């Protein structure tokens, strides 16, 4: 498959699926984000070649462009009433993944090479996101093929957890955790999901300016494109934009941001060649599956202990395990879009601390396991 054809699929598939979901009942029930994810996985496991370098470039572009678009129309007053429980739940999630990574690294230490590096990368990806996993791998001098294997395993099991959250997750978790706090579901904070081409492209232009400013600030401070700085500046400027009435009331910004996240879903799914992973790295597959499963169970248990409601637990879990790309789809699936700003903020917090948590875990495992 040529690079031009691949780019066309990445950007056209979400549009076709959005169109279909508005006219076909079963597509609407499944959800566009799930369909985009499945299309990407199908591409990655087809006979056609996926250009990994190009795909990574797409991912590195659409996520930072989408974050300001999602924040521009957000009313962040909900931090005053909801920030505390959400942050508590996020910390519970970080503790849960720490326990899961440490435990499973000890269990798999005789079957996996470089288990301390693997543990550090898993800690980074489930605290922050794929960029953290990549950065930690570079810092630990891990072979690039290992990153591809871990990403594919993460896509497989992460996809299963995502489908759980998008479908039966909330009804089941509500049986264990309290009902959502009314402050999180109040009707006076509403995100405008309407489509407006003029507003969408104005918002996209503003988002591009935000990204350019973040790149410039990173170069000025560090002399290079420092990833964490770029993400923090993007978030800060996105929040600042939401405080300007003309930007906050601009129609179509959320719709454009959501479209870019759907592009992300297709692209990241295409990196997962599941057959290759299953045949060449079954122990890595089992290791990643055990970590994400244990993390989810422990997070629910901690949420129960601290009386955290179901919606808060789900969104904070998504922020840590998946990052910003899936906050909006899951928030809509659980019928609580008001938590999107908080979820995005936590996802960016995860990006900011993911490298530190991952490197600390790798060092601790190396000292403990030798």
């Amino acid at each position: 498959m040529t690079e031009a054809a691949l780019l066309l699929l990445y950007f056209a598939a979400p549009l076709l699926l959005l169109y279909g979901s508005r006219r076909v009942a079963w597509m609407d029930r499944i959800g566009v984000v799930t369909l985009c994810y499945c299309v990407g996985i199908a591409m990655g496991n087809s006979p056609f070649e996926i250009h990994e370098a190009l795909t990574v470039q797409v991912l590195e572009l659409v996520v930072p462009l989408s974050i300001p678009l999602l924040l521009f129309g957000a009313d962040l007053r909900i931090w005053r009433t909801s920030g505390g429980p959400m942050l508590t739940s996020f910390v519970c999630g970080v503790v849960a993944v720490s326990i899961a990574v440490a435990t499973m690294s000890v269990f798999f230490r005789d079957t996996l090479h470089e288990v301390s590096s693997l543990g550090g990368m898993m800690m980074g990806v489930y605290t922050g996101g794929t960029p953290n996993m990549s950065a930690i791998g570079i810092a630990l001098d891990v072979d690039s093929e290992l990153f591809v294997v871990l990403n594919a395993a993460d896509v497989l099991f992460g996809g299963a957890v995502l489908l759980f959250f998008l479908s039966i997750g909330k009804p089941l978790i509500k049986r264990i955790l309290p009902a959502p706090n009314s402050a999180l579901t109040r009707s006076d904070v509403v995100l405008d999901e309407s489509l407006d081409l003029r507003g969408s492209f104005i918002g996209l232009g503003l988002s591009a300016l935000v990204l350019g400013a973040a790149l410039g600030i990173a170069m000025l401070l560090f002399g290079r494109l420092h990833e964490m700085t770029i993400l923090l500046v993007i978030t800060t400027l996105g929040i600042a934009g939401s405080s300007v009435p003309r930007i906050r009331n601009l129609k179509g910004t959320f719709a454009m941001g959501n479209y870019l996240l759907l592009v992300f879903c297709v692209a990241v799914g295409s990196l997962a060649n599941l057959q290759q992973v299953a045949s060449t790295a079954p122990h890595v597959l089992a290791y990643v599956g055990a970590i994400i499963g244990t993390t989810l169970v422990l997070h629910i248990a901690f949420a129960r202990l601290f009386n955290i409601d179901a919606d808060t637990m789900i969104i904070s879990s998504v922020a840590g395990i998946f990052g910003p790309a899936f906050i909006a789809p899951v928030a809509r699936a659980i019928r609580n879009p008001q938590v999107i700003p908080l979820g995005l903020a936590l996802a960016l917090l995860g990006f900011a601390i993911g490298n530190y948590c991952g490197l600390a875990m790798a060092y601790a495992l190396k000292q403990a396991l030798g």
Side-chain angles (χ1 to χ4, degrees):
M1 185 183 300
T2 66
E3 292 186 352
L6 187 63
L7 282 174
L8 180 62
L9 279 174
Y10 285 157
F11 286 90
L15 292 175
L16 294 174
L17 292 172
L18 280 168
Y19 179 84
S21 67
R22 294 173 181 175
R23 288 160 176 79
V24 182
W26 66 265
M27 293 180 68
D28 183 57
R29 285 194 295 269
I30 293 175
V32 180
V33 64
T34 305
L35 293 172
C36 286
Y37 205 70
C38 291
V39 167
I41 294 175
M43 290 169 58
N45 291 272
S46 71
F48 299 106
E49 179 185 4
I50 300 297
H51 301 274
E52 292 182 4
L54 177 64
T55 302
V56 171
Q57 290 176 349
V58 171
L59 298 177
E60 292 175 345
L61 177 65
V62 296
V63 170
L65 281 176
S66 67
I67 290 169
L69 285 164
L70 294 173
L71 288 173
F72 283 157
D75 188 339
L76 299 182
R77 293 174 299 171
I78 51 176
W79 270 114
R80 292 200 296 265
T81 54
S82 309
M86 188 72 79
L87 186 60
T88 300
S89 182
F90 183 76
V91 172
C92 288
V94 173
V95 173
V97 71
S98 301
I99 295 173
V101 168
T103 303
M104 295 307 156
S105 295
V106 172
F107 185 80
F108 282 89
R109 62 180 175 179
D110 295 328
T111 57
L112 287 176
H113 297 293
E114 296 186 271
V115 71
S116 60
S117 297
L118 284 169
M121 295 169 76
M122 288 293 95
M123 184 70 198
V125 73
Y126 290 145
T127 303
T130 304
N132 297 94
M133 180 167 66
S134 178
I136 293 166
I138 292 172
L140 299 176
D141 197 24
V142 174
D143 190 273
S144 60
E145 292 184 3
L146 184 57
F147 169 77
V148 175
V149 171
L150 285 177
N151 178 72
D154 174 44
V155 167
L156 175 63
F157 290 105
V161 173
L162 181 64
L163 289 174
F164 171 73
F165 283 143
L166 289 170
S167 55
I168 62 173
K170 181 173 178 176
L172 291 180
I173 293 174
K174 279 177 61 179
R175 298 184 178 185
I176 304 172
L177 302 182
N181 189 306
S182 60
L184 290 177
T185 56
R186 61 185 188 178
S187 60
D188 63 325
V189 180
V190 179
L191 288 171
D192 185 1
E193 299 187 55
S194 61
L195 177 63
D196 182 275
L197 290 179
R198 179 178 177 274
S200 294
F201 283 103
I202 290 175
L204 183 60
L206 291 172
S207 186
L209 289 176
V210 166
L211 176 57
L215 295 175
I217 291 172
M219 290 296 296
L220 183 64
L221 293 177
F222 299 97
R224 61 186 178 88
L225 300 180
H226 190 263
E227 189 173 76
M228 294 300 107
T229 300
I230 293 170
L231 289 170
L232 291 173
V233 171
I234 286 171
T235 305
T236 302
L237 293 180
I239 293 172
S242 72
S243 66
V244 179
R246 291 188 65 180
I247 296 178
R248 185 172 62 246
N249 297 326
L250 193 63
K251 293 186 179 297
T253 56
F254 185 87
M256 177 61 80
N258 186 58
Y259 164 70
L260 292 178
L261 293 186
L262 295 177
V263 174
F264 172 91
C265 294
V266 177
V268 77
S270 70
L271 289 176
N273 188 317
L274 304 182
Q275 183 178 3
Q276 179 184 8
V277 174
S279 61
T280 61
H283 294 304
V284 173
L285 204 63
Y287 176 69
V288 174
I291 287 175
I292 196 169
T294 304
T295 297
L296 185 59
V297 171
L298 288 176
H299 195 176
I300 294 173
F302 289 146
R304 176 68 178 177
L305 178 65
F306 289 97
N307 199 36
I308 294 169
D309 68 84
D311 285 13
T312 299
M313 178 269 154
I314 290 172
I315 291 299
S316 63
S317 182
V318 171
I321 295 176
F322 300 105
F326 296 98
I327 294 294
V330 173
R332 289 200 305 275
I334 64 174
R335 302 179 185 277
N336 195 348
Q338 287 80 14
V339 298
I340 290 175
L342 292 172
L344 287 171
L346 286 182
L348 268 295
L349 174 63
F351 275 130
I353 68 174
N355 287 345
Y356 301 105
C357 291
L359 291 173
M361 176 61 72
Y363 178 80
L365 289 173
K366 187 174 182 179
Q367 295 300 309
L369 302 179

